[in-house]
Amino acid sequence: MKILITGGSGFIGSNFIKYWFKNHPEDSIINLDKMTYAANPRNLVEFENSPNYKFVKGDILDEKIVDELVSQVDTIVHFAAESHVDRSIDDPSLFVRTNVLGTYNLLMAAKKYQIKRFHHISTDEVFGTIELDSTDQFNESTPYDPSSPYSASKASSDHLVRSFFKTFGLPVTISNCSNNYGPFQHPEKMIPRSITSLLSGGKIKVYGQGLNFRDWLHVEDHCRAIEAILLNGKIGETYCIGGLKKGTSNMELVRLILKLMNKGEDSLEYVADRPAHDNYAVNWDKINKELGWEPKYDLESGMKQTVDWYTQNQIWWQETKKEAEEFYIKLNSLNK
Ligand code: NAD
Ligand code: DAU
């Protein structure tokens, strides 16, 4: 395969490129990435001199670059996005441009060059929220009901992708995945923020009372799920991907981190809640039954590996941690 990966220098994209080359060394990859604050050039240094890998610094909104790169590949795996809910509350405009218009640009080029597969990486957040006391789960038939500008922009991009399948017969697949965690995740996100705060002598910031829940999936399991869809998924189909059988509350999550890092509850600080704070749980029966995929990591072993990685790779996160905490100070002052 000749694959165009968008957003390959971010968290999931860089894990995916590592995973793909390990398991499909004969394939070639072009990574188109704008290198926003969320990207880290250190993530992919090992491929710098590889003949099968090309990095292009550029924006998916740039029609010329997109056209030129799409003409060279047969497959697109589209990760590039503004991905952080709290930043979409601070400034939604870039989310609409990158996530909606950027996806549209890629779709137009994919149609022009009759790409064999356009795989769109999406999120469980498009489905909205589950009541706090409910055991419901999202699945492929759940109606879209996004809450944040981030999830609304991802929902819009999903609709566009599906419309290009229905109207133009573009061979698309879509995956709606739950919360990922693992190495190379930006320290603005809950799990790396919590681990790096404890490693820096600070406290974990818990939004509200910590009652909100999520489904958590190790990033390597997400990469395996995307591989299963690329190799055996049915054109035009959507697959929900999750790692657990039921939602895990943020309190359960932080207690696991505290236990693994030998800290007590005095290392928790309860802070103002996020507006429109959702809850998510995902039913991943379809991908399990149809493609034989299931997660390999359980939350405890995945979290231990993640804590170890952040402990051993402090140089990787120290600078971005500072920037992330500056962003949160600004956000909190705006919300006062
Ligand atoms: P991330 O923020 O870590 O990385 C995003 C990458 O996209 C960065 O490298 C950034 O530079 C690049 N990018 C942003 N705007 C761009 C543009 N206009 N042109 C080119 N590149 C651009 O995000 P992530 O957590 O790796 O998420 C990747 C994808 O997976 C996103 O589409 C996100 O919505 C989706 N997703 C993420 C999660 C999660 O838990 N992180 C879960 C489900 C789905
Ligand atoms: O569900 C998939 C989504 O997961 C992806 O689409 C997004 O790209 C990804 O960022 C993630 O979104 P969340 O909003 O769920 O992730 P975040 O890490 O920001 O927050 C996880 C939970 O932890 C959420 O309930 C809010 C809470 N939280 C977050 C932070 C940063 C805290 O309690 N304290 C914090 O400091």
Side-chain angles (χ1 to χ4, degrees):
M1 269 191 243
K2 290 182 186 165
I3 313 176
L4 173 65
I5 307 271
T6 66
S9 300
F11 165 47
I12 307 176
S14 60
N15 275 283
F16 183 77
I17 291 175
K18 288 171 202 286
Y19 178 86
W20 198 265
F21 274 140
K22 194 166 158 202
N23 294 284
H24 306 273
E26 68 288 358
D27 287 349
S28 62
I29 290 179
I30 302 175
N31 169 20
L32 171 62
D33 199 300
K34 184 180 166 187
M35 302 306 285
T36 67
Y37 79 94
N40 193 322
R42 279 196 280 264
N43 291 2
L44 295 166
V45 274
E46 72 242 56
F47 304 117
E48 259 168 18
N49 298 316
S50 159
N52 291 2
Y53 175 73
K54 185 164 125 185
F55 168 69
V56 178
K57 183 173 176 189
D59 194 327
I60 56 170
L61 286 161
D62 183 331
E63 285 175 39
K64 195 160 161 277
I65 292 181
V66 165
D67 186 276
E68 192 186 316
L69 298 182
V70 172
S71 73
Q72 299 169 37
V73 299
D74 49 52
T75 302
I76 298 174
V77 186
H78 175 34
F79 292 93
E82 288 295 330
S83 70
H84 193 32
V85 174
D86 290 328
R87 286 188 194 259
S88 81
I89 295 168
D90 180 42
D91 178 10
S93 65
L94 201 47
F95 287 72
V96 175
R97 274 182 278 142
T98 288
N99 300 0
V100 186
L101 298 179
T103 303
Y104 167 74
N105 246 352
L106 287 162
L107 287 165
M108 287 299 279
K111 172 174 165 286
K112 177 175 169 189
Y113 292 106
Q114 299 183 358
I115 285 297
K116 287 202 191 116
R117 177 71 72 87
F118 185 103
H119 183 67
H120 180 56
I121 307 292
S122 193
T123 169
D124 61 357
E125 301 207 6
V126 298
F127 300 121
T129 194
I130 294 168
E131 291 300 315
L132 264 182
D133 55 358
S134 164
T135 53
D136 285 353
Q137 292 178 313
F138 301 137
N139 63 37
E140 291 78 4
S141 315
T142 305
Y144 278 32
D145 187 19
S147 306
S148 71
Y150 162 69
S151 51
S153 68
K154 291 297 289 188
S156 311
S157 66
D158 290 12
H159 290 316
L160 274 173
V161 172
R162 222 165 263 128
S163 79
F164 270 62
F165 168 67
K166 290 186 186 166
T167 306
F168 305 115
L170 189 74
V172 310
T173 40
I174 299 177
S175 47
N176 294 94
C177 187
S178 62
N179 283 60
N180 283 216
Y181 68 96
F184 300 102
Q185 187 169 29
H186 194 282
E188 68 186 358
K189 304 282 166 55
M190 175 60 170
I191 288 177
R193 186 181 189 203
S194 301
I195 296 170
T196 55
S197 291
L198 293 182
L199 287 170
S200 313
K203 294 188 181 198
I204 295 179
K205 305 271 200 290
V206 179
Y207 292 178
Q209 295 172 282
L211 300 177
N212 292 80
F213 56 84
R214 294 284 182 276
D215 176 292
W216 291 99
L217 177 72
H218 192 278
V219 64
E220 197 181 308
D221 283 326
H222 188 189
C223 294
R224 290 176 40 254
I226 300 165
E227 178 188 44
I229 298 168
L230 282 178
L231 299 182
N232 296 310
K234 222 170 120 199
I235 299 298
E237 292 287 311
T238 291
Y239 298 89
C240 283
I241 310 171
L244 305 172
K245 289 287 180 193
K246 64 179 188 58
T248 293
S249 75
N250 290 340
M251 279 316 289
E252 290 173 89
L253 183 80
V254 296
R255 285 195 176 118
L256 174 59
I257 297 173
L258 290 176
K259 184 179 98 174
L260 290 169
M261 297 186 71
N262 295 317
K263 299 281 181 187
E265 300 224 356
D266 54 342
S267 290
L268 300 181
E269 182 184 341
Y270 295 88
V271 298
D273 208 351
R274 172 186 282 174
H277 196 167
D278 286 339
N279 303 300
Y280 313 124
V282 176
N283 178 317
W284 42 272
D285 282 354
K286 176 176 172 180
I287 187 168
N288 177 245
K289 291 203 175 98
E290 292 185 12
L291 305 182
W293 173 89
E294 63 181 1
K296 281 188 179 163
Y297 283 89
D298 60 64
L299 189 55
E300 179 143 1
S301 65
M303 195 64 69
K304 178 161 184 350
Q305 184 244 33
T306 306
V307 167
D308 289 346
W309 191 86
Y310 282 91
T311 307
Q312 286 155 19
N313 290 279
Q314 307 213 5
I315 293 197
W316 184 87
W317 54 261
Q318 255 154 4
E319 196 51 40
T320 38
K321 167 82 178 163
K322 237 172 46 201
E323 288 159 17
E325 293 307 326
E326 280 162 17
F327 160 73
Y328 281 115
I329 290 168
K330 183 184 140 216
L331 185 68
N332 292 338
S333 68
L334 289 176
N335 291 339
K336 269 183 188 152

